Amino acid sequence: MKIAVIGTGYVGLVTGTCLAETGNEVICVDIDKEKVEKMRNGIVPIYEPHLDVLFERNIKANRLKFSTSLDEGLEHADIVFLALPTPEDEDGSADLSYILNVSEEIGKKITSYKVIIDKSTVPVGTSEKVQKTIAKNAICDFDVVSNPEFLREGYAVDDFLKPERIVIGASSEKAQKIMKKLYDPFVRSENPILMMDEKSAELTKYAANSFLATKITFMNEIANYCEKVGANVDHVRVGMGTDSRIGKRFLFPGIGYGGSCFPKDVKALQKSGKDQNYEFKILDAVIEVNNRQKTILLPKMETYFNHQLKGKHFAIWGLAFKPETDDIREAPSIYLMKELLRQGATLSVFDPEAMLNIKKQFGDTLLYADEMYATLEKADALVICTEWSIFRTPDFSKLKNNLKKPVIFDGRNLYSTNDLKQEGFSYLSIGREDVIL
Ligand code: NAD
């Protein structure tokens, strides 16, 4: 099938590449000229495991092309995906201007039937808006479909190729058939393609993300309470997670959720509720608790250093909002680092993939290390913000030799409290006994 993907970011590039992998001819369109030039030169512009192999293979096979021209994309394709940004607007709602501006252009330009598929995360009723916007100018038939994306950055290729389910909101039978044909190769293990109306599909995405953000946040509250009463969140987590009604995933406490999706999607659902005179009280609490959680290590650091963070030097491990990505959007590390800088500390930082993105935002206010141990020299403590695998079993003797004193503030509970006590570290983590030697 002939496909255009408009917007070639984390979602669009993975979508385009994976659809090419199943034999479709795909043009990825983006307004970012530099990005398109890079892709044309065979460079994957984001870090996403396993994407490079598929990217290269499908370019070679002539199934994956790149363009800055919407016209070229529309001329080529019968199926048009919108994978455009829907960032948070000032009032917390989703900014639909990218989607609606492109829809307007599509309406003016299409001359034959197309299925326009919205893959971006959008509030209930957006399909209808897209439909009306295109219809204002369209001279031919078209259908609009809602097809929210559930891929996780860091696992995006796997998630796209082997989805647990595919959600499709489509009222037109013709569009339903096309969507089924398009996605059948991805559900050979009989995971379901769930057909529903457009509004339910749109809401499914917000509901899923808000539920997951709530699960994380609930566990963070339990962790904070563990510290008050001397319980150990590791035990509580396992005790809860082994109940199959609860499940083991998304129960790891830490310094809050971030990323390009959870924060904005929770806020957008909260705002959509308000617009309908419905107060999502749970979401109000989730947002408030998560904001507090992002800097939850700070009071521990202040207490440990007698409220004198000015002049202290810290090593920071992990900057991306989660491991296996270079994405720093809404990363908890950013909030913690800004606060430490504000209090007059200096920071030497390392992340396996997110250094360039952090440099763009923080410039010369940080010291950038080439590798994880290079952050430690003369640091008053190590602070862990992201749970990359390479941080899980470090050489503790190197840590001891390089840090001024062996002190770790761990926002992701990477190590056993007992082990670190034995290694001779002061170790302060989340929801467990703080070891202060
Ligand atoms: P992104 O910012 O990485 O990518 C968006 C791309 O669209 C950029 O490359 C940008 O240059 C391009 N763009 C902007 N305006 C354009 C235009 N007029 N024409 C062509 N290209 C244009 O965003 P993303 O993370 O891929 O997210 C896209 C959507 O998917 C959002 O609604 C997001 O909420 C949703 N989503 C994201 C994820 C994720 O993990 N990132 C997962 C599921 C859903």
Side-chain angles (χ1 to χ4, degrees):
M1 289 189 255
K2 296 197 166 192
I3 297 170
V5 180
I6 318 298
T8 314
Y10 286 87
V11 168
L13 185 56
V14 171
T15 300
T17 308
C18 292
L19 287 170
E21 180 69 9
T22 50
N24 298 295
E25 288 171 45
V26 181
I27 290 191
C28 289
V29 177
D30 205 287
I31 42 161
D32 184 335
K33 285 187 189 137
E34 210 179 304
K35 194 183 246 186
V36 170
E37 202 45 43
K38 264 190 184 169
M39 294 189 289
R40 281 181 171 156
N41 289 323
I43 299 165
V44 184
I46 52 166
Y47 173 73
E48 188 58 52
H50 313 301
L51 185 59
D52 49 352
V53 179
L54 271 67
F55 182 81
E56 202 185 314
R57 181 159 64 219
N58 285 286
I59 292 175
K60 268 195 189 146
N62 240 356
R63 287 192 300 260
L64 185 59
K65 294 190 176 142
F66 308 97
S67 175
T68 50
S69 155
L70 180 62
D71 294 69
E72 195 183 337
L74 294 177
E75 231 164 77
H76 160 84
D78 312 310
I79 297 171
V80 181
F81 279 92
L82 306 182
L84 293 158
T86 48
E88 188 183 324
D89 220 336
E90 275 161 21
D91 60 359
S93 62
D95 173 0
L96 293 181
S97 60
Y98 295 84
I99 302 265
L100 295 179
N101 289 342
V102 170
S103 301
E104 177 110 23
E105 288 305 303
I106 290 175
K108 288 179 191 160
K109 291 174 194 284
I110 53 173
T111 51
S112 59
Y113 174 82
K114 311 228 181 277
V115 192
I116 315 296
I117 304 161
D118 178 24
K119 243 199 180 320
S120 299
T121 303
V122 292
V124 173
T126 303
S127 289
E128 218 172 293
K129 284 187 185 161
V130 170
Q131 164 80 34
K132 284 188 181 150
T133 308
I134 297 176
K136 271 195 304 190
N137 301 300
I139 52 163
C140 61
D141 246 10
F142 67 95
D143 281 310
V144 175
V145 169
S146 165
N147 171 217
E149 181 50 58
F150 295 93
L151 61 75
R152 298 160 298 165
E153 285 176 25
Y155 304 89
V157 170
D158 223 37
D159 285 345
F160 198 95
L161 294 176
K162 289 178 261 169
E164 284 183 332
R165 83 302 203 186
I166 289 161
V167 171
I168 292 171
S171 357
S172 136
E173 253 180 58
K174 185 172 176 183
Q176 283 177 11
K177 273 191 193 144
I178 294 171
M179 294 304 287
K180 199 167 167 318
K181 193 169 161 207
L182 187 66
Y183 276 119
D184 266 346
F186 299 97
V187 290
R188 294 174 65 80
S189 54
E190 310 215 331
N191 284 344
I193 294 179
L194 303 170
M195 287 286 178
M196 56 183 82
D197 61 277
E198 294 85 344
K199 286 183 177 173
S200 304
E202 288 163 343
L203 185 53
T204 301
K205 174 67 190 177
Y206 275 126
N209 271 4
S210 298
F211 183 82
L212 292 172
T214 304
K215 197 173 176 189
I216 294 169
T217 305
F218 181 83
M219 208 54 211
N220 284 337
E221 288 248 81
I222 294 293
N224 297 342
Y225 183 65
C226 280
E227 291 187 21
K228 298 269 178 223
V229 295
N232 181 331
V233 75
D234 285 346
H235 298 317
V236 178
R237 174 176 57 76
V238 176
M240 286 168 68
T242 39
D243 183 332
S244 60
R245 293 171 304 175
I246 295 172
K248 294 183 177 124
R249 296 167 72 184
F250 281 77
L251 287 184
F252 289 82
I255 51 172
Y257 63 78
S260 65
C261 292
F262 285 0
K264 82 170 170 60
D265 293 350
V266 173
K267 280 190 204 155
L269 182 56
Q270 180 200 42
K271 176 68 172 62
S272 302
K274 273 193 191 132
D275 292 344
Q276 301 298 326
N277 288 324
Y278 186 79
E279 224 179 310
F280 272 112
K281 294 199 170 178
I282 288 181
L283 300 187
D284 295 345
V286 168
I287 292 165
E288 191 184 327
V289 172
N290 193 60
N291 282 341
R292 184 184 63 197
Q293 200 70 17
K294 287 188 266 196
T295 51
I296 203 88
L297 284 179
L298 206 62
K300 289 183 193 248
M301 296 176 77
E302 286 165 346
T303 308
Y304 185 90
F305 291 104
N306 293 323
H307 297 273
Q308 260 311 320
L309 294 180
K310 191 168 179 193
K312 294 284 179 298
H313 181 61
F314 297 110
I316 309 280
W317 281 4
L319 307 166
F321 84 92
K322 66 173 188 177
E324 298 300 332
T325 181
D326 59 353
D327 197 343
I328 59 160
R329 290 178 280 187
E330 294 288 317
S333 66
I334 291 176
Y335 291 85
L336 185 60
M337 291 196 302
K338 278 189 176 162
E339 192 49 37
L340 291 171
L341 290 175
R342 197 188 64 74
Q343 294 203 29
T346 52
L347 309 174
S348 181
V349 306
F350 176 75
D351 185 281
E353 294 296 337
M355 298 295 269
L356 272 181
N357 285 336
I358 282 286
K359 237 181 220 175
K360 275 186 209 157
Q361 185 164 337
F362 280 83
D364 57 9
T365 58
L366 302 174
L367 297 163
Y368 300 95
D370 291 339
E371 52 91 26
M372 58 199 252
Y373 296 107
T375 55
L376 302 171
E377 208 183 329
K378 300 209 178 89
D380 291 280
L382 166 65
V383 183
I384 299 172
C385 293
T386 316
E387 64 277 32
W388 283 92
S389 301
I390 53 154
F391 303 148
R392 286 184 188 275
T393 45
D395 180 342
F396 285 112
S397 60
K398 266 194 187 173
L399 261 72
K400 257 189 168 169
N401 290 340
N402 285 292
L403 288 167
K404 269 192 203 159
K405 271 169 75 183
V407 189
I408 301 176
F409 294 91
D410 182 357
R412 298 294 172 187
N413 286 5
L414 293 191
Y415 315 122
S416 135
T417 327
N418 279 340
D419 288 357
L420 280 235
K421 203 188 272 184
Q422 277 171 15
E423 293 272 0
F425 280 86
S426 289
Y427 181 55
L428 300 93
S429 55
I430 311 279
R432 310 184 294 183
E433 177 203 3
D434 285 336
V435 177
I436 299 176
L437 300 175

